[in-house]
Amino acid sequence: MDARYKSREIERRSLDVDGLKRSFLEWLVYSVGKDARAATRRDWFHTVALAVRDRLVDRWMDTTRTYYQQDAKRVYYLSLEFLIGRLLTNSLANLGITDQCRQALDRIGLNLDDVVEAEPDAALGNGGLGRLAACFLDSMASEALPGYGYGIRYEFGLFEQRFEHGWQVEYPEQWLQFGNPWEFPRPEVLYPVQFYGRVEEFRDSVGERAYRWVDAERVLAMAYDTPVVGYGGDTINTLRLWSARATRDFNFGHFNDGAYMKAVEQKVLTENLSRVLYPNDATEGGKELRLKQEYFFTSASLQDILRRYLQHHSNFDSLPDKAAIQLNDTHPAIGIAELMRLLVDQHGVTWDKAWDITRATFSYTNHTLLPEALEAWPVRMMERVLPRHMQIIYEINAKFLNRSKARAAGDNGRLSRLSLIDERGDRRVRMGNLAFLGSHKVNGVSALHTELMKQTVFADFHAEFPERINNKTNGITPRRWLHQANQPLAALITSRIGNGWIKDLSQISALAEKADDLVFREEFRRAKRKNKKRLAAYIARQTGVDVQVDSLFDVQVKRMHEYKRQLLNILQAIALYNEMRDNPTVSWVPVTKIFAGKAAPSYHMAKLIIKLINDVAKVVNHDPSVHDNLKIVLLPNYNVTAAEIIMPAADLSEQISTAGMEASGTGNMKLALNGALTIGTLDGANVEIREHVGDDNIFIFGLTAEEVNDLRASGGFNPRDVIASNPSLKRALDMISTGVFSPDDPHRYHPILQALTDGGDHFLVTADFSDYCQAQQAAMDLYRDQEEWTRKAILNTANMGWFSSDRTIMEYATEIWDVHPVKPEHPAETET
Ligand code: 9GP
């Protein structure tokens, strides 16, 4: 027996079926405190999770120790969102013990799939940005990169979405209600974070002018660590999330006076900092609490990073050689001013040196060009909440503008555009400009988006720093999005090309030659059908609607947003409904339109579109004249877990944003990897997906980003003319406006119709409608030919290898971070 398993204690970490079974039974009793007869599904989930966690702790510690001993350069991924979803299946698969665990549970009379269902979905993010961060954690660990995630341990994740009379209603998401077996609280890892107060000027020991931040309110940031298991279980990295703690539990003065509520008031207010995830996805302005959340987690993370660095170093000269800090969007951009403050005010580094260190350490990823999503904090709020940071930002700005003055001569607008302060109206701090200026590299998330960054939001900065902007097209982890989510297809692929693709997705290209193999096609279809059956059952459970498994599953799953154009999709559905009713004798390709996605609670238009989809679905699904040839469903509460069921079952992937508005998209990659054909505009990563899968295997339609730009700039676009010239669009809109779908309130959709007509149709739904309908027709025609459809679907899967987040993360590692893989040493395993 391996030395590691010699003692009984250590045997509890064994990976075989018997060892697992024994520890399950032991954990249930001694840690969960339940008898097998009384145990609920949730008890079993906790039991299994704790037993699995046991099996990764040694390797986790080995990994951390190796990084420490080698003083390896680490990358710190600062993100306000990590959309990690469930962890049990992921941990089992990455440790390679799914089968053993299934068998062990089987021997106890339990089913692993049932146990998995008891795990809450950790929704610490809104959408693409948060899920990308989670894929990156998986890839960093799988590529043996010393990577840490830093974020907030929100007590409530993204809200739970329900539909009541077709309207979205939000409920709190209490993912921590029954405890979280994956995390390790670290009450000793505690950092003070300050707010408010004022800045005092004084002379330091050598008579230089210096500053201190005084009379501030103090909050403590406490760490919770979650292990991140890389594929194969060799490297286990850390996701460190911060929770807010009051500096004292209660005010004894109030308590002794009998004012018990008042005594704990301050504590409650302070701890609100890590209470909720803001449900905005590129809408809504900022709130003071949000600014405080951003500073809270950024400051704690930087203090932690410096503490770790100082274990090996006595000055900060080599900080950029030992730490790469990635800003995931501008949410942690205040970190640039914070690192300057820590270096200059607390550690006495000179300003210029501190600035060089800061810039060499930070890099920034931009994820959106939408103006409303670019953070800009009111100067007045910033001066009040973070007074010292505001001073630092002014100083960075003054030095920078001074330097740029000469070059900007003759262009008055240029300096004001480059400024960190937007002087128009209520003065604001432009966090994008701060992030850009304080980073050595700035990247976009798809080729098109990066190009547009250079031409639009960061045009002036690009002229100033032509080397700084670079592209890192997003990716997705094949472990979660194919290996785990789509077991039928994963097994089929492995049976033909081996399992190397799980770690190196480029190997999946070997499938391309199977696209002409009739037997393989048949098996590919069978796998898809199995997934479709599973989704159909899920749809029936969630919505009560029965859908035909053999219909074309046409899927649009993503946040609800006007630029993503769910409205275009539902208008086409109405047009198709009309055609079916007009031509009942035609043999139609049966279509199931599947939507899912949450709208930001204050985004009224997106919520109205949700209601419209539900209203249209109600009419269509109950109309016998279409003979079940068209079904429309909007699944509630879209999250990672739901995505894992939906993605593998899709035939057609809707990626239909107004060109130039979707930075990248990653759902587009998940769907194509799972063998869905894309119907999409030339936007975000769709452009690169087309290059990889081939023009013949994708349905591209609509205006290009350049055409969108020209059309808007020309001012000559009149949606009313377009509507008048397209009878099927006109008819669909008339049905909406006359209350066909909302007889109880015929004017309900006036705001939508208004936006499409007098509002100028900003998202160009009417402009792309006709082209979109033609592309849809082409998809339906192709679907009739199942052999040809399957051939193209196989080619999609085979050609998506490049979109692995392993590829993306290695590009970051080599081109931005200069961080290298470090193989953990596992001493206990090498003993003989
Ligand atoms: O909207 C983008 C999406 O296109 C992209 O795929 C994702 C990850 O890069 O980021 C989204 N942006 C945000 O969620 C907010 O900036």
Side-chain angles (χ1 to χ4, degrees):
M1 183 190 276
D2 188 318
R4 191 183 182 95
Y5 306 132
K6 265 183 199 150
S7 73
R8 188 168 179 282
E9 170 67 15
I10 289 176
E11 195 192 21
R12 287 171 56 207
R13 296 172 198 148
S14 74
L15 301 177
D16 60 40
V17 178
D18 282 338
L20 280 163
K21 181 186 158 192
R22 265 198 304 276
S23 26
F24 291 160
L25 294 171
E26 224 175 282
W27 264 112
L28 180 71
V29 176
Y30 296 107
S31 290
V32 177
K34 279 283 180 86
D35 178 88
R37 267 170 307 181
T40 63
R41 212 163 57 151
R42 187 178 308 114
D43 295 327
W44 279 112
F45 157 67
H46 279 262
T47 299
V48 175
L50 290 170
V52 171
R53 199 180 79 165
D54 265 5
R55 282 150 176 81
L56 46 88
V57 167
D58 289 319
R59 286 167 167 236
W60 187 25
M61 291 184 175
D62 292 346
T63 307
T64 313
R65 193 183 322 106
T66 309
Y67 296 162
Y68 176 78
Q69 281 167 352
Q70 298 190 10
D71 189 22
K73 180 168 185 181
R74 278 93 151 176
V75 52
Y76 299 109
Y77 200 82
L78 267 57
S79 178
L80 202 54
E81 304 189 5
F82 286 95
L83 203 43
I84 47 184
R86 289 175 171 165
L87 291 183
L88 180 55
T89 330
N90 189 250
S91 307
L92 290 174
N94 279 4
L95 284 173
I97 56 169
T98 308
D99 289 343
Q100 294 92 310
C101 183
R102 189 177 288 285
Q103 285 174 41
L105 285 171
D106 205 43
R107 288 187 193 173
I108 306 174
L110 293 163
N111 182 327
L112 174 62
D113 300 333
D114 292 339
V115 172
V116 163
E117 283 304 307
E119 178 169 7
D121 180 288
L124 309 183
N126 277 292
L129 172 139
R131 183 55 229 175
L132 184 76
C135 283
F136 280 1
L137 289 180
D138 180 271
S139 285
M140 284 192 277
S142 298
E143 293 292 330
L145 289 175
Y148 291 70
Y150 275 114
I152 296 183
R153 180 183 178 270
Y154 301 104
E155 204 175 310
F156 299 97
L158 185 61
F159 64 87
E160 182 195 333
Q161 176 198 52
R162 294 189 204 159
F163 298 135
E164 294 178 5
H165 307 291
W167 293 100
Q168 168 175 299
V169 180
E170 302 91 25
Y171 288 86
E173 174 59 75
Q174 306 198 37
W175 73 294
L176 290 174
Q177 195 179 9
F178 300 101
N180 174 5
W182 299 112
E183 69 185 9
F184 289 82
R186 307 287 194 206
E188 76 289 0
V189 183
L190 217 52
Y191 295 99
V193 178
Q194 307 200 114
F195 299 99
Y196 311 112
R198 62 193 172 83
V199 179
E200 225 172 52
E201 191 182 313
F202 66 102
R203 294 279 157 186
D204 66 12
S205 55
V206 288
E208 291 285 334
R209 202 194 302 264
Y211 300 90
R212 63 179 154 239
W213 184 6
V214 296
D215 297 340
E217 277 179 21
R218 229 165 212 238
V219 180
L220 296 173
M222 177 185 146
Y224 282 76
D225 288 347
T226 301
V228 179
V229 190
Y231 183 66
D234 213 33
T235 293
I236 303 193
N237 282 338
T238 304
L239 169 62
R240 176 159 278 188
L241 300 178
W242 300 105
S243 179
R245 292 283 176 275
T247 43
R248 54 181 182 175
D249 281 346
F250 38 68
N251 178 318
F252 276 103
H254 292 315
F255 191 74
N256 290 337
D257 294 343
Y260 302 122
M261 295 304 282
K262 211 168 166 46
V264 292
E265 193 180 296
Q266 197 53 40
K267 173 180 164 69
V268 172
L269 285 177
T270 305
E271 295 183 356
N272 275 346
L273 262 181
S274 54
R275 202 81 68 200
V276 285
L277 164 80
Y278 267 82
N280 15 328
D281 193 49
T283 53
E284 286 191 302
K287 302 213 167 56
E288 187 167 316
L289 186 58
R290 166 94 167 186
L291 171 63
K292 289 174 71 176
Q293 282 189 328
E294 294 183 355
Y295 177 64
F296 165 75
F297 98 93
T298 305
S299 172
S301 308
L302 288 178
Q303 292 181 62
D304 201 38
I305 293 166
L306 293 191
R307 176 201 50 83
R308 192 171 295 119
Y309 171 82
L310 288 172
Q311 290 174 343
H312 281 278
H313 304 269
S314 54
N315 64 45
F316 291 95
D317 293 357
S318 46
L319 184 67
D321 303 325
K322 294 295 165 188
I325 305 179
Q326 187 67 34
L327 301 173
N328 194 26
D329 230 348
T330 54
H331 314 143
I334 190 66
I336 287 165
E338 174 68 352
L339 185 59
M340 287 298 288
R341 185 185 74 83
L342 292 170
L343 294 179
V344 174
D345 292 1
Q346 296 207 341
H347 295 279
V349 180
T350 61
W351 178 278
D352 290 345
K353 189 167 203 168
W355 182 242
D356 287 345
I357 293 172
T358 299
R359 248 194 7 225
T361 306
F362 278 105
S363 42
Y364 153 57
T365 307
N366 172 278
H367 292 269
T368 182
L369 303 173
L370 299 189
E372 67 271 28
L374 296 173
E375 288 188 304
W377 297 109
V379 165
R380 263 184 301 181
M381 185 195 288
M382 199 75 147
E383 278 172 342
R384 196 161 38 80
V385 181
L386 299 171
R388 177 62 183 133
H389 296 78
M390 196 59 239
Q391 282 185 342
I392 291 173
I393 290 169
Y394 279 139
E395 181 141 2
I396 296 172
N397 201 31
K399 286 186 194 296
F400 168 56
L401 293 182
N402 212 16
R403 217 208 65 175
S404 312
K405 228 183 239 158
R407 262 199 287 177
D411 182 353
N412 284 342
R414 174 122 180 241
L415 272 192
S416 64
R417 290 193 302 270
L418 283 172
S419 175
L420 301 189
I421 312 293
D422 184 349
E423 304 281 353
R424 296 166 303 174
D426 196 13
R427 297 170 74 229
R428 285 168 184 269
V429 183
R430 293 167 167 150
M431 300 309 278
N433 289 14
L434 176 64
F436 194 111
L437 199 55
S439 296
H440 64 290
K441 290 280 177 198
V442 175
N443 74 285
V445 289
S446 74
L448 176 65
H449 168 232
T450 302
E451 230 11 75
L452 294 174
M453 270 168 75
K454 292 180 185 168
Q455 290 168 20
T456 61
V457 270
F458 292 121
D460 294 300
F461 275 93
H462 180 53
E464 201 79 3
F465 306 100
E467 304 295 314
R468 203 165 289 186
I469 298 184
N470 67 101
N471 179 53
K472 295 285 164 282
T473 298
N474 285 343
I476 54 170
T477 166
R479 268 79 60 186
R480 186 175 288 259
W481 295 111
L482 182 52
H483 182 227
Q484 288 162 49
N486 193 345
Q487 282 163 27
L489 182 57
L492 173 64
I493 295 170
T494 299
S495 75
R496 294 307 206 284
I497 64 169
N499 67 3
W501 61 272
I502 303 171
K503 179 69 185 59
D504 171 11
L505 194 62
S506 69
Q507 292 184 22
I508 207 164
S509 63
L511 280 187
E513 65 183 38
K514 310 260 182 282
D516 293 323
D517 172 343
L518 287 181
V519 177
F520 185 76
R521 279 193 206 159
E522 178 56 35
E523 291 186 50
F524 192 92
R525 262 196 304 274
R526 210 177 297 149
K528 179 65 79 181
R529 194 166 197 282
K530 206 166 169 187
N531 296 325
K532 289 174 76 172
K533 266 176 103 165
R534 180 172 70 147
L535 178 56
Y538 181 78
I539 291 172
R541 276 200 310 279
Q542 297 285 327
T543 66
V545 177
D546 282 326
V547 303
Q548 287 188 53
V549 174
D550 292 317
S551 61
L552 191 167
F553 277 20
D554 176 351
V555 169
Q556 187 170 21
V557 288
K558 47 184 81 251
R559 284 299 287 254
M560 288 284 171
H561 206 296
E562 287 164 282
Y563 85 80
K564 295 182 187 274
R565 299 201 294 191
Q566 283 91 355
L567 184 56
L568 177 59
N569 191 348
I570 197 68
L571 286 174
Q572 187 266 336
I574 298 172
L576 180 61
Y577 169 61
N578 289 334
E579 272 190 66
M580 286 180 173
R581 287 190 306 157
D582 292 350
N583 304 284
T585 55
V586 168
S587 132
W588 291 97
V589 170
V591 173
T592 303
K593 288 253 180 203
I594 299 163
F595 294 86
K598 295 177 183 179
S602 61
Y603 191 175
H604 300 298
M605 194 57 119
K607 290 173 104 167
L608 195 57
I609 292 169
I610 286 183
K611 173 67 175 158
L612 175 63
I613 296 172
N614 277 325
D615 273 353
V616 173
K618 200 159 73 183
V619 170
V620 170
N621 296 346
H622 290 100
D623 187 338
S625 70
V626 295
H627 305 294
D628 285 349
N629 281 328
L630 180 61
K631 285 280 160 84
I632 301 172
V633 288
L634 173 46
L635 286 163
N637 204 35
Y638 183 58
N639 57 15
V640 174
T641 303
E644 288 171 33
I645 300 171
I646 299 170
M647 300 291 179
D651 293 310
L652 192 61
S653 156
E654 298 274 350
Q655 308 301 334
I656 59 177
S657 49
T658 317
M661 301 195 79
E662 186 70 271
S664 163
T666 44
N668 48 3
M669 300 170 191
K670 291 162 202 165
L671 286 157
L673 179 62
N674 280 280
L677 271 58
T678 304
I679 181 166
T681 47
L682 282 176
D683 198 14
N686 295 353
V687 176
E688 287 147 278
I689 291 178
R690 178 176 73 153
E691 282 162 16
H692 282 82
V693 304
D695 213 8
D696 292 344
N697 303 315
I698 189 168
F699 302 98
I700 294 294
F701 72 92
L703 299 166
T704 62
E706 210 180 333
E707 287 164 349
V708 165
N709 201 24
D710 292 348
L711 192 60
R712 283 183 181 154
S714 75
F717 173 61
N718 184 351
R720 282 195 185 279
D721 293 346
V722 180
I723 295 167
S725 67
N726 187 323
S728 92
L729 175 58
K730 182 166 185 323
R731 185 171 165 199
L733 294 174
D734 286 346
M735 286 165 81
I736 296 174
S737 74
T738 55
V740 170
F741 304 108
S742 55
D744 53 324
D745 179 4
H747 299 297
R748 178 174 296 144
Y749 297 111
H750 182 72
I752 293 180
L753 298 161
Q754 170 76 15
L756 287 182
T757 53
D758 298 340
D761 188 12
H762 181 67
F763 300 97
L764 299 169
V765 170
T766 58
D768 275 343
F769 181 81
S770 156
D771 211 8
Y772 177 54
C773 289
Q774 279 178 36
Q776 282 282 359
Q777 190 57 54
M780 286 186 285
D781 291 345
L782 181 70
Y783 197 73
R784 279 182 203 285
D785 183 347
Q786 279 291 296
E787 286 300 333
E788 194 49 16
W789 182 281
T790 312
R791 192 178 70 80
K792 290 178 190 283
I794 295 168
L795 288 174
N796 266 269
T797 300
N799 288 312
M800 287 301 290
W802 188 75
F803 295 92
S804 166
S805 47
D806 298 346
R807 184 270 312 155
T808 313
I809 215 70
M810 287 314 290
E811 286 182 7
Y812 276 88
T814 52
E815 294 163 26
I816 299 182
W817 302 331
D818 193 25
V819 167
H820 306 280
V822 173
K823 279 233 138 294
E825 289 156 21
H826 298 297
E829 290 166 20
T830 49
E831 269 170 29
T832 49

